[in-house]
Amino acid sequence: VPPEKPVNITCWSKNMKDLTCKWAPGTEGETFLHTNYTLKYKRRWYGQDNTCQEYHTAGTYSCHIPKDLALFTPYEIWVEASNRLGVAVSDVVMLDILDVVTTDPPSDVHVSRVGDLEDQLSVRWSSPPALKDFLFQAKYQIQYRVEDSSEWKVGGHGRGTARGGRGCGCCHLLPLQVVDDVGNQTSCRLAGLRPGTVYFVQVRCNPFSIYGSKKAGIWSDWSNPTAASTPRSERVAGGCDPKGGEQNTTLRRELKQFFGWVKKHAYGCSNLGIKLYDQWRVWLQKSHKTRNQVGKEP
């Protein structure tokens, strides 16, 4: 049968000089005949038809236009599908390059401790290098997860203005709180974390308002995960200097739990080091999870 009309054309640019587009082959997919796909484009009012040359750059149904695109000019883009029995043409998509800009993920992502604060981590990264020569604003978003979980949590996002590769300054970030960035370097602080826990952190970027464009950009992919651990609580690991009051009562209770666990689970152990204490904390967390799950049952 003749080919079906290609659908779902989407395009993006990573440096405002190129354009990559993807499409789908139609509701029924490809026919049994070999089908050729050709992406064409032109300036909206006075341009001549141009044909994309670099196919399969972002998947089976995709093409990349590497250069010679104009800014502040709307383009018409469409895809033609052809086989021995006919030709089908997609609907025309109109876009401005400035409205479909995305970036590579933020680079140089570093995660580190904030002194001895047990519940916080500092996250720093660099602004997108591909856009260093352009005036733009950027929104950043962070997601993080604990080492033994596959569930990511969104930490929040910031926004700022950058030119010439300068990033967006410092901010203090609580989970799910929106903040503003200012300055040369981008950074955020994650708070409310668990002590003595390894966290994986990722960052992504959304450039917008490039040269005054009114449309939001396209979110980049997430950066590669970067890991860091929060400091461990020193309530038990520290010295046993009794100070009285509530803190001393909590210390005695936890020490009693700890040595009770050692007697039950650590047969033949003579070295009560920090590693053994860590094993106890893991056992304690699991027992808390079990009790919580049982408590939720009808």
Side-chain angles (χ1 to χ4, degrees):
V1 296
E4 291 201 358
K5 180 174 73 173
V7 295
N8 299 334
I9 300 175
T10 57
C11 302
W12 63 92
S13 174
K14 284 198 171 181
N15 57 22
M16 286 185 282
K17 301 174 185 177
D18 74 333
L19 192 69
T20 301
C21 295
K22 295 178 64 176
W23 62 89
T27 55
E28 299 297 329
E30 290 222 27
T31 66
F32 290 103
L33 293 176
H34 175 71
T35 303
N36 291 316
Y37 292 91
T38 304
L39 184 131
K40 294 188 176 182
Y41 61 100
K42 71 173 183 178
R43 297 190 189 188
R44 182 176 182 186
W45 293 295
Y46 50 84
Q48 62 181 6
D49 290 4
N50 296 280
T51 301
C52 183
Q53 301 296 328
E54 298 182 10
Y55 290 89
H56 313 300
T57 55
T60 304
Y61 305 108
S62 66
C63 195
H64 178 237
I65 306 168
K67 58 182 180 179
D68 299 330
L69 294 171
L71 299 179
F72 309 105
T73 301
Y75 276 87
E76 295 182 359
I77 298 173
W78 66 97
V79 177
E80 295 180 358
S82 62
N83 63 19
R84 289 182 295 164
L85 296 180
V87 177
V89 182
S90 71
D91 294 334
V92 175
V93 173
M94 287 184 291
L95 60 84
D96 190 311
I97 304 300
L98 295 179
D99 295 335
V100 293
V101 176
T102 187
T103 71
D104 290 323
S107 58
D108 301 324
V109 178
H110 298 281
V111 185
S112 58
R113 295 180 178 181
V114 184
D116 294 328
L117 294 177
E118 301 169 356
D119 67 336
Q120 298 187 23
L121 288 174
S122 175
V123 187
R124 302 179 67 87
W125 61 91
S126 299
S127 60
L131 300 178
K132 64 181 181 179
D133 297 327
F134 302 96
L135 178 63
F136 70 100
Q137 292 179 289
K139 292 185 291 186
Y140 295 95
Q141 194 170 49
I142 296 174
Q143 68 175 5
Y144 60 96
R145 65 175 175 84
V146 296
E147 184 179 24
D148 58 354
S149 172
S150 60
E151 178 183 356
W152 292 94
K153 296 181 180 180
V154 176
H157 49 86
R159 55 189 288 176
T161 302
R163 177 195 272 277
R166 297 177 62 188
C168 302
C170 298
C171 61
H172 297 286
L173 181 66
L174 295 176
L176 303 179
Q177 179 180 357
V178 180
V179 295
D180 289 325
D181 294 343
V182 292
N184 291 335
Q185 287 266 334
T186 55
S187 68
C188 284
R189 185 176 295 185
L190 297 176
L193 307 178
R194 300 197 316 223
T197 304
V198 176
Y199 283 87
F200 289 94
V201 181
Q202 291 179 300
V203 185
R204 66 177 181 174
C205 175
N206 185 337
F208 69 100
S209 192
I210 298 177
Y211 291 142
S213 171
K214 296 182 180 180
K215 291 188 178 181
I218 300 173
W219 283 106
S220 72
D221 293 332
W222 290 102
S223 63
N224 292 326
T226 302
S229 63
T230 51
R232 297 189 182 280
S233 173
E234 296 182 356
R235 289 181 301 170
V236 176
C240 295
D241 181 20
K243 296 183 179 179
E246 183 178 349
Q247 181 177 0
N248 193 33
T249 301
T250 302
L251 179 61
R252 287 199 303 270
R253 183 172 65 251
E254 291 192 353
L255 282 172
K256 185 177 180 180
Q257 290 178 323
F258 175 52
F259 286 113
W261 178 87
V262 169
K263 184 177 180 180
K264 183 176 180 181
H265 295 276
Y267 305 103
C269 268
S270 59
N271 181 17
L272 302 182
I274 189 66
K275 187 173 182 180
L276 186 61
Y277 174 72
D278 289 344
Q279 294 175 0
W280 170 67
R281 291 299 297 266
V282 170
W283 172 84
L284 194 63
Q285 289 178 4
K286 290 182 178 179
S287 65
H288 285 168
K289 289 181 180 179
T290 302
R291 285 199 298 271
N292 290 338
Q293 290 173 356
V294 171
K296 292 179 181 178
E297 293 294 327

